[in-house]
């Protein structure tokens, strides 16, 4: 029922993956079996639609925008609060979305603590858990699908980058753990045609 998908093969294919992702669950020999997706694309290529679909079809979903400043290590893993004179680890987004999906929009906007956040993703992708190493010292279950949407730096900041990996700034040890990666090219003609069709 989504207009314009017949001329947007990359979006159509990715929606199929989001359905597989929603059905993925559980661990196999201590490895997370959740499916993870990385969608790269120019502004206006339909990435937001994919996050909305993932949030609606998963039983549990957390959707975070990097623009809101919520993508921090404490926000992802958890932070400490004191209750009845005891230190308790309050779970972050990765644990809150366990059994479902965590969608992060505009991942290219994250600059501070980027590597630490990416390391927490690698832990979830490999082990299905995160470790709050603050004074609460707690391991949280995080059998969570990660769905990132990002722009290339060269598309939004007019940055000159030497390689595609440098253009998205996600290290190899993390990017190789994504089950599905797609680069949606800018297509002004398609966007214009869909807009006309929808009006």
């Amino acid at each position: 029922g989504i207009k314009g998908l017949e001329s947007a093969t990359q979006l159509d294919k990715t929606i199929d993956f989001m359905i597989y992702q929603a059905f993925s669950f559980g661990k196999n020999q201590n490895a997370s079996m959740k499916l993870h997706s990385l969608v790269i694309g120019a502004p206006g290529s339909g990435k937001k639609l994919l996050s909305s679909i993932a949030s609606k079809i998963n039983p549990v979903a957390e959707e975070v925008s990097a623009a809101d400043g919520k993508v921090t290590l404490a926000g992802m893993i958890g932070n400490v609060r004191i209750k009845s004179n005891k230190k308790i680890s309050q779970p972050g987004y990765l644990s809150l979305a366990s059994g479902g999906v965590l969608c992060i929009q505009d991942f290219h906007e994250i600059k501070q603590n980027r590597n630490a956040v990416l390391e927490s993703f690698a832990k979830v992708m490999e082990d299905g858990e995160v470790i709050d190493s603050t004074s609460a010292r707690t391991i949280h279950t995080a059998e969570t699908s990660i769905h990132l949407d990002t722009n290339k730096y060269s598309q939004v900041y007019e940055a000159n980058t030497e390689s595609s990996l440098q253009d998205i700034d996600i290290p190899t040890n993390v990017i190789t753990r994504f089950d599905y990666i797609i680069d949606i090219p800018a297509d002004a003609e398609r966007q214009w045609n869909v807009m006309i069709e929808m009006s």
Side-chain angles (χ1 to χ4, degrees):
I2 302 170
K3 288 181 182 275
L5 279 183
E6 61 281 348
S7 60
T9 54
Q10 293 96 346
L11 285 176
D12 198 16
K13 189 191 300 183
T14 307
I15 290 169
D16 286 343
F17 179 81
M18 308 316 261
I19 295 166
Y20 298 137
Q21 188 181 63
F23 283 103
S24 68
F25 191 66
K27 286 186 178 181
N28 179 25
Q29 295 175 347
N30 207 33
S32 175
M33 289 180 63
K34 292 295 288 178
L35 297 175
H36 310 287
S37 50
L38 171 63
V39 177
I40 306 158
S45 57
K47 298 187 304 297
K48 169 81 171 128
L49 167 72
L50 299 169
S51 291
S52 298
I53 289 171
S55 295
K56 284 178 175 58
I57 64 176
N58 275 274
V60 181
E62 294 286 337
E63 192 173 349
V64 186
S65 173
D68 296 337
K70 293 180 181 175
V71 184
T72 62
L73 194 57
M76 292 297 104
I77 293 177
N79 52 33
V80 176
R81 70 183 180 105
I82 297 174
K83 186 176 180 182
S84 305
N85 291 329
K86 283 188 174 180
K87 291 180 179 175
I88 299 169
S89 179
Q90 208 167 276
Y93 287 113
L94 286 164
S95 298
L96 293 173
S98 189
V101 67
L102 171 65
C103 301
I104 302 179
Q105 296 173 43
D106 304 318
F107 193 74
H108 60 276
E109 293 189 9
I110 298 167
K111 303 284 192 298
Q112 200 170 7
N113 299 319
R114 184 182 178 91
N115 287 341
V117 168
L118 286 165
E119 283 172 26
S120 71
F121 293 167
K123 181 77 175 156
V124 167
M125 291 165 158
E126 190 171 341
D127 300 327
E129 63 185 27
V130 287
I131 299 170
D132 178 359
S133 57
T134 61
S135 54
R137 291 188 180 85
T138 305
I139 297 174
H140 293 290
T141 300
E143 293 182 26
T144 309
S145 288
I146 297 171
H147 173 74
L148 297 187
D149 106 25
T150 190
N151 297 103
K152 294 177 182 176
Y153 289 142
S154 58
Q155 292 168 330
V156 287
Y157 302 121
E158 296 180 4
N160 292 322
T161 52
E162 293 174 14
S163 68
S164 296
L165 268 179
Q166 205 177 31
D167 212 2
I168 56 171
D169 192 24
I170 296 175
T172 308
N173 71 313
V174 178
I175 207 163
T176 54
R177 288 187 168 101
F178 281 99
D179 302 286
Y180 181 83
I181 301 172
I182 193 164
D183 185 353
I184 303 174
D187 189 343
E189 185 181 349
R190 176 184 62 79
Q191 290 167 358
W192 180 254
N193 290 335
V194 171
M195 200 165 56
I196 290 169
E197 193 180 333
M198 292 175 78
S199 56

